[in-house]
Amino acid sequence: MEYIIKNGIVYDPINGVNGEKMDICVKDGKIVEKVSEDAKVIDASNCVVMAGGIEIHSHLAGPKVNTGRMMRPEDSIKEIYAKKGLRCGTGFSIPSTFKTGYQYCELGYTFALEAAMPPLKARHVHEEFLFTPQIDVAALPLFGNNWIVFKYIMEKDYKALAAYVAWMLKATKGYGIKIVNPGGTEAWGWGTNVHSLDDPVPGFDITPKEIVKGLGMVNELLGLPHSIHVHPNDLGHPGNYEVTIETMKLLEDVKAKPKIGERWSSYHNTHIQFHAYGGTSWKDFESKALEIIDYVNKSKHVTIDVGQVTLDETTTMTADGPMEYDLYMMTKFKWANCDVELETGSGVVPFIYSRKNPVHSVQWAIGLEVLLYTDTDKVILTTDHPNAGPFTRYPRILAWLLSKEYREDWLYNKVHKWARERTALPDADKEYDMYEVAKITRANQAIALGLSESMGHLGVGANADIAIYEIDPEEKNGKKIEKAFRYAKYVLKDGEVIVKDGEIVKEKFYRTFYLDVQVDESLMNEVLKDVEEMFKRYYTINFENYVVTEEYANNWKPIKIDATNL
Ligand SMILES: [Zn+2]
């Protein structure tokens, strides 16, 4: 099928296209130079045209998400999804799988990354992906509290660690290295936590600093498309901004060396909002966003995503087990907790962010400070779905960025005064333009994930993943902005129209991306001996039952990386 998208106002930062009125041609799933006279015309007059959106950090599939769904029937009934020709779904902050796929699609998103896959439970993640339509997907396995990782770092055997990472990515069908509260989740197995980069991990002669640095070096040794993806120690605690900056500094002299893609960063700090806190308690709690932003703007190796608080009732879930316990002690509502053998752990706690709450209002403002003051080549829009709010609030966040008037209506009339008194948000004059919106919702993600050859832009040869929004680029009415981005007028995926006039017109399942990293065979055999030994001694399941097999995807998309010369 051929299409020509006519007269749209195009925003494509990767190709430097900033609001030009131009036609986009589509043939055989790709963007092409031109099409034949018979091509179907899509009229995009008075519409903004961008590449499909890319989600870089979300909890959309797997055991944590499903635990959230089971423990929160009240969330399930809060939002019912029932549309003709589509599967029904439920859930506001933790939607069912079909609803998740549909709603990303309605926003014009065409790819989503599950940000925390417990390796032992990888099959559950992939099973949910099997029923998540409309988007390409991938998942990051957790490495930051894994005993085999600890063993090789303690032995300073980084080649063995690299081979183990390569094996794990293939075995779990994962896309990169996720680190959550390095050492802290392991400590939680002993009822404790780590609080600084030099705190030793109980039972191991290792520190968080060595874990982050070791995995960061190995990431570049292998030349993976994405950098290490880090949730540093001390998430959500007053005064944590210093640990955050110290953790970023660890990778300062580790250069990005991706074997594919155009990534320039060697460190991605996720949901930075939760890591930008000053004060010594909730009483003197304040924003330290500007300190963090100052470091990020000066650095040449860091990308961040925001984790914007949307001020909704939501469900928090993370591999940061001890943090969820702290949160539970504060809220005393519900709490689920899990230890994933020698790999990781997790917790799930419902949370109500309130506009009237001083701390929540400061958290809300910190996210906006990050988005408004950081170099827009380095910052990415997320809500850490569902931790700071559901991804379906992205349109409202864009409205806060595009319209100062709308943002200030919230700042001065809707949230607690601490947001004005304890952050720099009142001084932020900036308003985003559509070019910057395209950066923080698709282009920056594509580069950071090493996917920019085929995604995140509208150049010839790219996948024809396209979102068309019916909006005047100069629109300042917050409600109108929110509506336009909530339901894309058209979405094309692989060159097919799957959304028309805001309605999903075709349900389809797409690809699961993973990394197929080749390392030297004799090195791999040595490492597999260690892994099998661990299975014999510690794991409750057999080695043979661990690996995610072929039938766990609708369509695998392996990305081959040759790392045989380490
Ligand atoms: Zn997260």
Side-chain angles (χ1 to χ4, degrees):
M1 180 65 91
E2 293 181 313
Y3 287 100
I4 179 160
I5 300 165
K6 272 194 173 298
N7 292 320
I9 309 157
V10 177
Y11 293 89
D12 179 8
I14 288 180
N15 294 301
V17 179
N18 184 359
E20 275 174 54
K21 190 175 264 197
M22 58 194 278
D23 299 341
I24 304 279
C25 297
V26 170
K27 187 183 176 182
D28 299 332
K30 298 278 180 192
I31 293 173
V32 294
E33 200 85 55
K34 55 178 168 219
V35 282
S36 71
E37 305 251 306
D38 307 330
K40 271 198 174 172
V41 175
I42 293 175
D43 180 14
S45 308
N46 306 315
C47 290
V48 161
V49 180
M50 296 183 185
I54 299 177
E55 173 63 88
I56 201 170
H57 188 108
S58 166
H59 303 279
L60 69 147
K64 267 193 297 22
V65 184
N66 213 39
T67 300
R69 291 183 193 118
M70 286 189 291
M71 72 191 261
R72 297 207 62 208
E74 69 277 12
D75 185 81
S76 181
I77 56 168
K78 209 170 149 188
E79 199 173 276
I80 313 288
Y81 192 97
K83 291 191 178 179
K84 208 176 161 191
L86 300 175
R87 299 285 193 106
C88 290
T90 61
F92 170 69
S93 68
I94 22 175
S96 46
T97 58
F98 279 89
K99 185 170 181 280
T100 300
Y102 297 150
Q103 290 190 312
Y104 267 116
C105 179
E106 288 168 354
L107 297 176
Y109 274 61
T110 50
F111 179 99
L113 184 66
E114 161 56 52
M117 174 163 73
L120 187 61
K121 315 250 174 168
R123 278 174 294 177
H124 188 161
V125 173
H126 290 291
E127 277 165 345
E128 293 203 6
F129 280 166
L130 277 169
F131 300 98
T132 306
Q134 311 305 86
I135 49 174
D136 290 318
V137 288
L140 298 178
L142 293 150
F143 284 95
N145 289 280
N146 177 309
W147 292 11
I148 303 176
V149 170
F150 289 176
K151 168 183 151 63
Y152 291 137
I153 292 177
M154 287 188 299
E155 292 168 358
K156 298 197 171 25
D157 191 348
Y158 298 109
K159 284 191 180 177
L161 179 57
Y164 176 64
V165 168
W167 176 76
M168 194 66 129
L169 291 171
K170 212 166 168 177
T172 65
K173 300 288 192 288
Y175 192 78
I177 298 176
K178 176 71 184 300
I179 302 169
V180 171
N181 189 1
T185 304
E186 172 55 29
W188 178 234
W190 303 96
T192 174
N193 198 353
V194 294
H195 289 287
S196 84
L197 283 171
D198 297 308
D199 247 4
V201 181
F204 293 88
D205 183 17
I206 197 169
T207 63
K209 185 184 275 173
E210 291 164 328
I211 299 168
V212 174
K213 187 119 197 212
L215 285 167
M217 278 158 35
V218 159
N219 195 91
E220 305 312 327
L221 204 57
L222 290 168
L224 305 185
H226 187 30
S227 65
I228 49 168
H229 191 115
V230 184
H231 153 158
N233 302 113
D234 248 355
L235 178 144
H237 296 134
N240 64 8
Y241 78 103
E242 285 174 326
V243 173
T244 308
I245 294 173
E246 288 306 311
T247 312
M248 291 177 177
K249 282 185 180 166
L250 294 177
L251 273 286
E252 237 167 25
D253 44 7
V254 175
K255 209 174 154 4
K257 289 183 193 145
K259 293 212 164 95
I260 57 163
E262 303 170 284
R263 168 173 66 86
W264 49 266
S265 59
S266 59
Y267 182 92
H268 180 78
N269 198 125
T270 189
H271 40 65
I272 197 94
Q273 176 275 127
F274 288 122
H275 303 276
Y277 299 165
T280 55
S281 73
W282 297 116
K283 286 192 183 127
D284 61 356
F285 178 68
E286 59 173 346
S287 168
K288 286 287 180 185
L290 291 186
E291 276 78 354
I292 301 250
I293 293 162
D294 184 51
Y295 179 79
V296 172
N297 285 346
K298 279 193 296 205
S299 78
K300 292 190 168 64
H301 70 290
V302 177
T303 50
I304 56 175
D305 69 77
V306 58
Q308 174 66 44
V309 166
T310 63
L311 298 171
D312 285 291
E313 177 180 325
T314 192
T315 313
T316 69
M317 51 184 64
T318 169
D320 197 338
M323 193 286 296
E324 288 288 24
Y325 175 72
D326 293 346
L327 201 58
Y328 166 67
M329 290 308 282
M330 226 157 65
T331 61
K332 295 280 172 68
F333 187 29
K334 295 182 191 180
W335 172 48
N337 177 60
C338 180
D339 180 54
V340 186
E341 304 195 6
L342 54 158
E343 296 182 342
T344 181
S346 70
V348 182
V349 174
F351 199 78
I352 302 169
Y353 291 97
S354 164
R355 297 175 195 184
K356 296 197 169 69
N357 181 298
V359 169
H360 305 168
S361 299
V362 171
Q363 291 178 304
W364 170 82
I366 289 175
L368 292 174
E369 283 182 280
V370 167
L371 286 160
L372 291 163
Y373 288 108
T374 308
D375 174 350
T376 52
D377 287 330
K378 294 178 174 172
V379 65
I380 286 171
L381 175 62
T382 62
T383 57
D384 185 18
H385 167 84
N387 284 300
F391 67 83
T392 44
R393 287 289 191 224
Y394 285 169
R396 181 170 292 173
I397 301 169
L398 294 178
W400 289 328
L401 299 175
L402 286 159
S403 169
K404 187 175 177 226
E405 190 191 331
Y406 185 61
R407 175 168 81 235
E408 292 193 337
D409 179 37
W410 278 69
L411 180 60
Y412 290 98
N413 304 321
K414 293 195 166 127
V415 301
H416 190 274
K417 65 177 193 286
W418 275 24
R420 303 186 287 280
E421 293 169 355
R422 300 190 180 200
T423 81
L425 189 58
D427 304 326
D429 281 325
K430 184 181 171 76
E431 274 182 342
Y432 267 57
D433 58 27
M434 289 292 172
Y435 192 69
E436 291 170 314
V437 167
K439 281 188 188 181
I440 66 161
T441 53
R442 44 268 282 163
N444 294 352
Q445 286 85 330
I447 293 168
L449 292 170
L451 293 169
S452 58
E453 195 188 314
S454 58
M455 287 186 202
H457 71 101
L458 297 168
V460 168
N463 293 353
D465 294 353
I466 303 167
I468 303 174
Y469 303 102
E470 191 164 22
I471 186 171
D472 174 352
E474 303 299 323
E475 182 63 61
K476 295 295 169 203
N477 180 307
K479 291 255 154 56
K480 284 188 182 165
I481 296 169
E482 202 176 328
K483 188 165 167 250
F485 282 107
R486 180 62 187 82
Y487 295 99
K489 186 172 168 68
Y490 282 93
V491 177
L492 281 80
K493 173 97 188 112
D494 286 355
E496 267 185 297
V497 174
I498 58 172
V499 168
K500 192 179 176 212
D501 296 324
E503 300 284 344
I504 291 169
V505 291
K506 186 177 182 83
E507 180 189 288
K508 200 167 168 178
F509 294 89
Y510 293 94
R511 292 164 286 254
T512 303
F513 283 62
Y514 74 94
L515 301 184
D516 179 359
V517 187
Q518 292 297 325
V519 297
D520 177 73
E521 215 180 307
S522 59
L523 174 65
M524 184 60 96
N525 288 337
E526 284 304 306
V527 166
L528 283 180
K529 276 186 210 157
D530 289 340
V531 173
E532 283 185 48
E533 180 62 23
M534 287 295 203
F535 270 87
K536 273 195 210 124
R537 287 175 66 178
Y538 299 115
Y539 273 102
T540 58
I541 71 162
N542 284 331
F543 183 69
E544 290 72 26
N545 294 332
Y546 189 78
V547 173
V548 174
T549 45
E550 281 305 305
E551 67 271 25
Y552 281 87
N554 295 298
N555 192 358
W556 291 113
K557 172 76 179 166
I559 303 219
K560 286 199 187 299
I561 291 159
D562 180 359
T564 44
N565 277 323
L566 286 177

